[in-house]
Amino acid sequence: MTQKQHFILRWLVPQALLQSALLVWLYLAVDNGNWPAQSPTWLVGLVTLTIVFPGLCYLRLERAGWRRFLTLAVPYSLLLSVLGMYIGAQQPQQELFNNDALIVTFVLCALITTLKLLNVATLYSRGEPITYRQLYELSWQHFIQFSLCCFFALALWLILLLGGELFSTIGIEILADLLDEPWVSIPVLTCAFAGAAIALRSMLSAVENIEKLLKILAKFLLPVLAVLAITFIASLPFTGLESLWRLENSTLMLLWMQASLLFFFNTVYSRTDALPYYHWWRGVMLLALLTLPLYAMLAHYGLWLRIEQYGLTVSRGWGVLISATLAYFAFSYCGAIIIKRQQWLIWVHKINVIGCAALFVALLAVNSPLANLQQLSAQSQVHRLQSGQVSADEFDVYYFYRELGKAGFEALQQIQQHTDNDSLKARIVRLYANRDEPSDFEKWQSQWLQGVRIADAANQPPSSLLQFIHSSNLYKYYGQGASLYLIAADVNQDQQLEWLLLHQQHNYLQGVMFTENQQQQWQSYHLQVANATDDEEQIKQALAAGEFTLTTPQWQHIDIGGARLSVPVNIYEQQE
């Protein structure tokens, strides 16, 4: 047995078994409601530590330099575990709000920072200098290695599931039953990932071949992207910016263009000793890089417009972080090209190392109290309410519930205690009271109706309808914070009123229609919405006044032998 094999059997195999046992214990704790499942703080922290540290070891821990590797891997794993505890503390212990998006964000940030740290720890354990070229090569190797490990674990699991289902068809259920048990499925997936990671260490040539193939493809795609980037900027003086800002996702497209150009450029220009392309094509590449500051300024301006108009949100906070990072690369690259000239590529590589280090710190910071985007967004939206930039009637409390988690919950509780607006108080109470399933119908009715606008005050909804809405739980899905309207209308012209429960948010409507059948029982039908206007005020005024028009469909249904064919309605085409 070689020393390398002895090291794997002595350290990595026991570690995989221990990780499997810990993950099974954590899963059963969640399934049975035992500790640490009762404390999200400890649960997320322990799950993070159990996954991250062994994962680092599987991918790169070697006999030579293992102590130096652990001097970086252990503190990082503990730091990430502490951040996981903070993320866990933002989760509700009761079903008051939903904060799953924060967990997803934390997982993605942890994956990126872990792969980044793995590059540095590998070079540090070998005693090699930390240079851009080595970091770049290791980034590709570790990313491909991690992807192949995930693919192998998933493929093995799917094969086992296929086998279980196949044996079930002939009455042998034991394999399918075993795969349903966490003490089988979790160790299988864990050991599959660990085994693939260890096996790929001796197959680096295959990983390098995949890397070379991806670089060849990038070499063909970069010129296309560069020409598009230059052409778009050159077209703006003739088209103007108004059409660009009319699109809600214009800033996102600008950021994607910057990120794509930077990614493909660094993939192709990873070496300074062998420049690709002919001389004149290199000039096109440099010109494309010189357009990056213009993209950065346009993206910053687009973000500033949105934040100025609607305040900071979590998505806009991420936009600011990404835009600032891309702007750093854009302006730094231009400075290197203009100032350093012949040595510009060497300085670009140094800029990349600094930028990646700053991004590493930023991704950790946004998952900590230092830069919690949910907290910052809640403060921004509350400031807009307090400063009068948004009225109490237009204040979107449902966004606080849907996107801001614990920070949004605490902010709304403060607003509820200090605001004098009864309608806003009622909407906040209704938002969280709905989570509590009030058993007293009369109490629920009084709370719910406070947040509903009835177009015709003389025509109140019958008590039987309200009881149906309460028993069917439909009130949970409509009108959790924006404007909620209840309108009576004879939709099918049968001399009997139907009731429309409509939820209006910005220029979008959604709703449900209630009608009584011949047995005097209420039924509900979700309404299919096709908005034909961007005028939010027009929709709001029509809803408040109860103004609507009943329109006969242009195309009738076609019934053939019991089958019904319908022509899809496009409201935009009807207006034309």
Side-chain angles (χ1 to χ4, degrees):
M1 181 182 295
T2 64
Q3 291 182 340
K4 181 178 180 181
Q5 292 172 333
H6 182 267
F7 179 80
I8 291 174
L9 290 175
R10 183 180 178 184
W11 294 105
L12 296 184
V13 172
Q15 191 175 78
L17 297 176
L18 178 60
Q19 184 190 29
S20 300
L22 290 174
L23 289 175
V24 170
W25 169 64
L26 290 169
Y27 179 89
L28 293 177
V30 172
D31 197 37
N32 299 323
N34 300 327
W35 191 90
Q38 300 170 349
S39 173
T41 300
W42 283 103
L43 178 62
V44 179
L46 289 174
V47 170
T48 302
L49 183 61
T50 306
I51 292 176
V52 171
F53 178 71
L56 286 169
C57 295
Y58 300 150
L59 291 170
R60 188 49 72 176
L61 183 62
E62 298 171 342
R63 182 177 180 276
W66 66 271
R67 289 185 178 87
R68 293 169 65 88
F69 182 88
L70 293 181
T71 56
L72 291 181
V74 171
Y76 169 77
S77 300
L78 292 175
L79 173 61
L80 207 60
S81 179
V82 171
L83 294 180
M85 295 178 70
Y86 173 74
I87 297 299
Q90 307 305 306
Q91 304 304 311
Q93 294 188 356
Q94 300 176 353
E95 295 298 326
L96 292 175
F97 52 85
N98 186 352
N99 210 13
D100 293 341
L102 190 63
I103 293 289
V104 175
T105 302
F106 174 68
V107 170
L108 293 176
C109 292
L111 177 60
I112 295 172
T113 55
T114 299
L115 291 177
K116 292 293 183 185
L117 178 110
L118 189 60
N119 302 331
V120 177
T122 300
L123 294 176
Y124 181 69
S125 66
R126 296 173 178 173
E128 299 177 1
I130 300 175
T131 62
Y132 171 76
R133 181 174 176 180
Q134 290 176 307
L135 288 174
Y136 179 82
E137 297 294 336
L138 286 174
S139 296
W140 274 104
Q141 290 180 15
H142 290 149
F143 174 74
I144 295 172
Q145 186 181 3
F146 174 79
S147 301
L148 291 176
C149 291
C150 293
F151 174 78
F152 176 78
L154 178 61
L156 177 62
W157 182 248
L158 292 176
I159 290 173
L160 291 176
L161 288 179
L162 176 61
E165 292 298 323
L166 192 61
F167 278 100
S168 297
T169 60
I170 57 175
I172 302 177
E173 303 285 348
I174 184 171
L175 181 57
D177 293 340
L178 284 175
L179 293 177
D180 288 335
E181 297 293 336
W183 55 270
V184 174
S185 57
I186 293 177
V188 166
L189 292 173
T190 302
C191 293
F193 182 93
I198 295 171
L200 284 172
R201 293 182 176 195
S202 59
M203 301 173 60
L204 287 180
S205 58
V207 174
E208 291 173 356
N209 288 334
I210 297 175
E211 176 188 344
K212 291 178 182 178
L213 176 61
L214 294 175
K215 288 183 177 180
I216 291 173
L217 296 177
K219 188 175 179 180
F220 284 100
L221 293 175
L222 178 59
V224 178
L225 194 60
V227 171
L228 289 176
I230 296 170
T231 306
F232 177 79
I233 292 296
S235 302
L236 289 180
F238 304 98
T239 63
L241 298 177
E242 292 183 4
S243 57
L244 180 64
W245 300 135
R246 279 201 296 266
L247 295 175
E248 292 186 1
N249 60 347
S250 58
T251 301
L252 180 62
M253 290 190 294
L254 293 171
L255 293 176
W256 268 112
M257 176 60 80
Q258 293 180 76
S260 301
L261 190 57
L262 287 170
F263 172 78
F264 284 106
F265 171 81
N266 283 291
T267 300
V268 175
Y269 282 83
S270 59
R271 301 176 57 179
T272 58
D273 55 345
L275 296 179
Y277 305 120
Y278 293 108
H279 182 74
W280 65 276
W281 261 120
R282 294 176 199 163
V284 174
M285 301 302 132
L286 292 180
L287 183 58
L289 291 180
L290 292 174
T291 65
L292 284 176
L294 298 176
Y295 280 99
M297 288 187 289
L298 288 173
H300 271 290
Y301 180 69
L303 278 172
W304 177 81
L305 283 179
R306 292 293 178 184
I307 295 175
E308 182 71 16
Q309 291 174 346
Y310 305 111
L312 183 67
T313 62
V314 174
S315 59
R316 292 180 193 127
W318 278 109
V320 170
L321 173 61
I322 296 172
S323 180
T325 303
L326 295 176
Y328 160 78
F329 287 112
F331 286 98
S332 299
Y333 279 23
C334 285
I337 293 172
I338 295 173
I339 298 174
K340 296 301 178 180
R341 306 216 174 187
Q342 297 298 327
Q343 295 183 332
W344 68 273
L345 190 55
I346 297 175
W347 279 87
V348 161
H349 290 174
K350 295 179 180 179
I351 290 167
N352 288 342
V353 174
I354 298 173
C356 289
L359 181 61
F360 178 88
V361 174
L363 291 178
L364 295 179
V366 295
N367 291 284
S368 73
L370 299 176
N372 186 331
L373 294 181
Q374 289 184 332
Q375 190 70 47
L376 296 174
S377 299
Q379 293 173 358
S380 173
Q381 297 298 328
V382 171
H383 174 73
R384 295 182 72 239
L385 175 65
Q386 294 174 343
S387 62
Q389 298 179 47
V390 60
S391 66
D393 290 339
E394 296 176 340
F395 189 66
D396 188 3
V397 299
Y398 187 49
Y399 176 77
F400 281 67
Y401 165 77
R402 188 182 68 250
E403 299 289 345
L404 301 187
K406 183 179 179 181
F409 174 76
E410 293 175 348
L412 288 181
Q413 299 310 302
Q414 292 293 323
I415 293 174
Q416 183 183 350
Q417 293 176 9
H418 297 95
T419 186
D420 296 329
N421 189 289
D422 293 334
S423 175
L424 180 57
K425 280 185 178 180
R427 286 195 286 134
I428 296 174
V429 170
R430 178 166 51 85
L431 179 65
Y432 292 105
N434 288 345
R435 303 279 146 329
D436 204 15
E437 283 291 338
S439 56
D440 185 355
F441 169 72
E442 297 297 333
K443 180 181 178 181
W444 169 86
Q445 179 179 345
S446 62
Q447 290 178 352
W448 190 71
L449 287 178
Q450 288 182 27
V452 179
R453 302 183 184 184
I454 301 175
D456 186 0
N459 192 9
Q460 294 294 313
S463 177
S464 59
L465 172 60
L466 297 177
Q467 290 178 348
F468 176 76
I469 294 175
H470 177 254
S471 62
S472 62
N473 291 330
L474 283 168
Y475 63 89
K476 290 186 177 182
Y477 307 103
Y478 292 95
Q480 293 292 349
S483 300
L484 183 65
Y485 299 85
L486 198 57
I487 299 176
D490 186 6
V491 179
N492 58 354
Q493 302 293 309
D494 63 350
Q495 309 302 316
Q496 181 180 347
L497 288 178
E498 283 77 38
W499 287 87
L500 308 177
L501 181 62
L502 303 177
H503 177 204
Q504 178 261 330
Q505 188 172 9
H506 303 306
N507 66 324
Y508 181 76
L509 277 177
Q510 62 176 334
V512 61
M513 182 183 74
F514 302 101
T515 182
E516 279 188 304
N517 59 20
Q518 295 180 352
Q519 290 76 33
Q520 302 299 308
Q521 294 176 338
W522 287 99
Q523 295 176 320
S524 62
Y525 298 91
H526 290 278
L527 300 176
Q528 182 180 1
V529 182
N531 285 358
T533 178
D534 292 328
D535 192 344
E536 177 184 350
E537 196 61 33
Q538 177 184 348
I539 297 176
K540 188 178 299 184
Q541 291 177 0
L543 286 171
E547 298 176 352
F548 58 86
T549 302
L550 297 177
T551 305
T552 303
Q554 180 181 1
W555 307 101
Q556 302 297 317
H557 296 306
I558 306 168
D559 293 329
I560 303 177
R564 169 163 291 184
L565 306 176
S566 301
V567 179
V569 178
N570 189 324
I571 193 170
Y572 298 97
E573 292 180 357
Q574 283 188 351
Q575 286 194 341
E576 291 175 0

